[in-house]
mmCIF file of all heavy atoms in Angstrom:
data_model
loop_
_atom_site.group_PDB
_atom_site.id
_atom_site.type_symbol
_atom_site.label_atom_id
_atom_site.label_comp_id
_atom_site.label_asym_id
_atom_site.label_seq_id
_atom_site.Cartn_x
_atom_site.Cartn_y
_atom_site.Cartn_z
ATOM 1 N N ILE A 118 -25.126 -12.913 160.987
ATOM 2 C CA ILE A 118 -25.096 -13.782 162.164
ATOM 3 C C ILE A 118 -25.135 -15.247 161.737
ATOM 4 O O ILE A 118 -24.363 -16.071 162.243
ATOM 5 C CB ILE A 118 -26.245 -13.443 163.138
ATOM 6 C CG1 ILE A 118 -25.961 -12.101 163.812
ATOM 7 C CG2 ILE A 118 -26.416 -14.545 164.179
ATOM 8 C CD1 ILE A 118 -27.095 -11.578 164.670
ATOM 9 N N ALA A 119 -26.023 -15.576 160.798
ATOM 10 C CA ALA A 119 -26.118 -16.965 160.342
ATOM 11 C C ALA A 119 -24.812 -17.444 159.721
ATOM 12 O O ALA A 119 -24.331 -18.537 160.033
ATOM 13 C CB ALA A 119 -27.261 -17.112 159.340
ATOM 14 N N LYS A 120 -24.227 -16.622 158.869
ATOM 15 C CA LYS A 120 -23.013 -17.038 158.169
ATOM 16 C C LYS A 120 -21.761 -16.879 159.019
ATOM 17 O O LYS A 120 -20.973 -17.807 159.154
ATOM 18 C CB LYS A 120 -22.834 -16.235 156.880
ATOM 19 C CG LYS A 120 -21.582 -16.661 156.121
ATOM 20 C CD LYS A 120 -21.294 -15.762 154.967
ATOM 21 C CE LYS A 120 -20.102 -16.187 154.168
ATOM 22 N NZ LYS A 120 -19.042 -16.853 154.849
ATOM 23 N N ASN A 121 -21.567 -15.695 159.565
ATOM 24 C CA ASN A 121 -20.287 -15.345 160.182
ATOM 25 C C ASN A 121 -20.199 -15.610 161.677
ATOM 26 O O ASN A 121 -19.132 -15.445 162.247
ATOM 27 C CB ASN A 121 -19.956 -13.883 159.887
ATOM 28 C CG ASN A 121 -19.740 -13.658 158.409
ATOM 29 O OD1 ASN A 121 -19.004 -14.378 157.768
ATOM 30 N ND2 ASN A 121 -20.421 -12.665 157.857
ATOM 31 N N VAL A 122 -21.297 -16.005 162.301
ATOM 32 C CA VAL A 122 -21.242 -16.370 163.717
ATOM 33 C C VAL A 122 -21.566 -17.856 163.869
ATOM 34 O O VAL A 122 -20.706 -18.647 164.256
ATOM 35 C CB VAL A 122 -22.194 -15.494 164.575
ATOM 36 C CG1 VAL A 122 -22.184 -15.955 166.022
ATOM 37 C CG2 VAL A 122 -21.811 -14.019 164.480
ATOM 38 N N VAL A 123 -22.773 -18.242 163.516
ATOM 39 C CA VAL A 123 -23.193 -19.634 163.709
ATOM 40 C C VAL A 123 -22.480 -20.568 162.724
ATOM 41 O O VAL A 123 -21.802 -21.520 163.130
ATOM 42 C CB VAL A 123 -24.734 -19.772 163.579
ATOM 43 C CG1 VAL A 123 -25.145 -21.218 163.753
ATOM 44 C CG2 VAL A 123 -25.432 -18.876 164.584
ATOM 45 N N GLY A 124 -22.607 -20.287 161.433
ATOM 46 C CA GLY A 124 -21.999 -21.160 160.424
ATOM 47 C C GLY A 124 -20.492 -21.221 160.520
ATOM 48 O O GLY A 124 -19.896 -22.297 160.495
ATOM 49 N N LEU A 125 -19.875 -20.065 160.646
ATOM 50 C CA LEU A 125 -18.417 -20.025 160.742
ATOM 51 C C LEU A 125 -17.930 -20.667 162.036
ATOM 52 O O LEU A 125 -16.902 -21.342 162.051
ATOM 53 C CB LEU A 125 -17.923 -18.584 160.642
ATOM 54 C CG LEU A 125 -16.428 -18.382 160.474
ATOM 55 C CD1 LEU A 125 -15.926 -19.060 159.206
ATOM 56 C CD2 LEU A 125 -16.098 -16.908 160.437
ATOM 57 N N GLY A 126 -18.669 -20.493 163.115
ATOM 58 C CA GLY A 126 -18.283 -21.112 164.384
ATOM 59 C C GLY A 126 -18.270 -22.632 164.296
ATOM 60 O O GLY A 126 -17.290 -23.283 164.678
ATOM 61 N N ILE A 127 -19.336 -23.197 163.774
ATOM 62 C CA ILE A 127 -19.410 -24.657 163.632
ATOM 63 C C ILE A 127 -18.369 -25.145 162.612
ATOM 64 O O ILE A 127 -17.670 -26.132 162.840
ATOM 65 C CB ILE A 127 -20.834 -25.096 163.238
ATOM 66 C CG1 ILE A 127 -21.811 -24.769 164.379
ATOM 67 C CG2 ILE A 127 -20.875 -26.584 162.892
ATOM 68 C CD1 ILE A 127 -23.270 -24.907 164.001
ATOM 69 N N GLY A 128 -18.255 -24.424 161.502
ATOM 70 C CA GLY A 128 -17.262 -24.785 160.486
ATOM 71 C C GLY A 128 -15.840 -24.724 161.010
ATOM 72 O O GLY A 128 -14.997 -25.551 160.657
ATOM 73 N N THR A 129 -15.546 -23.759 161.872
ATOM 74 C CA THR A 129 -14.202 -23.614 162.431
ATOM 75 C C THR A 129 -13.834 -24.780 163.326
ATOM 76 O O THR A 129 -12.707 -25.286 163.264
ATOM 77 C CB THR A 129 -14.088 -22.285 163.204
ATOM 78 O OG1 THR A 129 -14.273 -21.210 162.274
ATOM 79 C CG2 THR A 129 -12.745 -22.143 163.886
ATOM 80 N N VAL A 130 -14.755 -25.215 164.151
ATOM 81 C CA VAL A 130 -14.486 -26.376 165.004
ATOM 82 C C VAL A 130 -14.188 -27.594 164.134
ATOM 83 O O VAL A 130 -13.215 -28.327 164.369
ATOM 84 C CB VAL A 130 -15.667 -26.654 165.961
ATOM 85 C CG1 VAL A 130 -15.499 -27.981 166.677
ATOM 86 C CG2 VAL A 130 -15.821 -25.508 166.956
ATOM 87 N N PHE A 131 -14.986 -27.806 163.098
ATOM 88 C CA PHE A 131 -14.750 -28.923 162.182
ATOM 89 C C PHE A 131 -13.392 -28.788 161.492
ATOM 90 O O PHE A 131 -12.628 -29.749 161.407
ATOM 91 C CB PHE A 131 -15.864 -29.007 161.121
ATOM 92 C CG PHE A 131 -15.531 -29.978 160.033
ATOM 93 C CD1 PHE A 131 -15.645 -31.345 160.255
ATOM 94 C CD2 PHE A 131 -15.066 -29.536 158.802
ATOM 95 C CE1 PHE A 131 -15.306 -32.254 159.256
ATOM 96 C CE2 PHE A 131 -14.729 -30.433 157.811
ATOM 97 C CZ PHE A 131 -14.846 -31.797 158.039
ATOM 98 N N ARG A 132 -13.075 -27.596 160.998
ATOM 99 C CA ARG A 132 -11.807 -27.386 160.297
ATOM 100 C C ARG A 132 -10.611 -27.624 161.220
ATOM 101 O O ARG A 132 -9.630 -28.245 160.810
ATOM 102 C CB ARG A 132 -11.750 -25.978 159.711
ATOM 103 C CG ARG A 132 -12.650 -25.781 158.515
ATOM 104 C CD ARG A 132 -12.546 -24.346 158.004
ATOM 105 N NE ARG A 132 -13.449 -24.107 156.921
ATOM 106 C CZ ARG A 132 -14.479 -23.265 156.964
ATOM 107 N NH1 ARG A 132 -14.730 -22.575 158.049
ATOM 108 N NH2 ARG A 132 -15.246 -23.115 155.912
ATOM 109 N N PHE A 133 -10.663 -27.093 162.436
ATOM 110 C CA PHE A 133 -9.537 -27.281 163.358
ATOM 111 C C PHE A 133 -9.280 -28.766 163.572
ATOM 112 O O PHE A 133 -8.146 -29.229 163.459
ATOM 113 C CB PHE A 133 -9.795 -26.589 164.699
ATOM 114 C CG PHE A 133 -8.681 -26.799 165.691
ATOM 115 C CD1 PHE A 133 -7.479 -26.131 165.535
ATOM 116 C CD2 PHE A 133 -8.827 -27.674 166.753
ATOM 117 C CE1 PHE A 133 -6.430 -26.337 166.433
ATOM 118 C CE2 PHE A 133 -7.787 -27.884 167.646
ATOM 119 C CZ PHE A 133 -6.590 -27.214 167.486
ATOM 120 N N TRP A 134 -10.322 -29.507 163.861
ATOM 121 C CA TRP A 134 -10.171 -30.946 164.084
ATOM 122 C C TRP A 134 -9.610 -31.636 162.846
ATOM 123 O O TRP A 134 -8.670 -32.424 162.935
ATOM 124 C CB TRP A 134 -11.519 -31.562 164.487
ATOM 125 C CG TRP A 134 -11.454 -33.049 164.493
ATOM 126 C CD1 TRP A 134 -10.930 -33.856 165.465
ATOM 127 C CD2 TRP A 134 -11.869 -33.924 163.432
ATOM 128 N NE1 TRP A 134 -11.009 -35.175 165.073
ATOM 129 C CE2 TRP A 134 -11.583 -35.236 163.830
ATOM 130 C CE3 TRP A 134 -12.462 -33.704 162.193
ATOM 131 C CZ2 TRP A 134 -11.863 -36.340 163.026
ATOM 132 C CZ3 TRP A 134 -12.737 -34.802 161.394
ATOM 133 C CH2 TRP A 134 -12.443 -36.098 161.814
ATOM 134 N N SER A 135 -10.182 -31.358 161.688
ATOM 135 C CA SER A 135 -9.758 -32.072 160.478
ATOM 136 C C SER A 135 -8.361 -31.654 160.028
ATOM 137 O O SER A 135 -7.577 -32.504 159.591
ATOM 138 C CB SER A 135 -10.763 -31.877 159.345
ATOM 139 O OG SER A 135 -10.866 -30.513 158.984
ATOM 140 N N TYR A 136 -8.007 -30.379 160.148
ATOM 141 C CA TYR A 136 -6.674 -29.944 159.731
ATOM 142 C C TYR A 136 -5.606 -30.593 160.589
ATOM 143 O O TYR A 136 -4.619 -31.092 160.088
ATOM 144 C CB TYR A 136 -6.522 -28.427 159.835
ATOM 145 C CG TYR A 136 -7.354 -27.615 158.882
ATOM 146 C CD1 TYR A 136 -7.433 -26.242 159.040
ATOM 147 C CD2 TYR A 136 -8.070 -28.178 157.827
ATOM 148 C CE1 TYR A 136 -8.194 -25.455 158.193
ATOM 149 C CE2 TYR A 136 -8.836 -27.402 156.978
ATOM 150 C CZ TYR A 136 -8.889 -26.039 157.165
ATOM 151 O OH TYR A 136 -9.647 -25.264 156.328
#
Side-chain angles (χ1 to χ4, degrees):
I118 289 173
K120 181 188 182 329
N121 295 311
V122 176
V123 179
L125 191 60
I127 295 169
T129 297
V130 170
F131 170 77
R132 288 179 184 115
F133 178 74
W134 170 80
S135 62
Y136 293 170

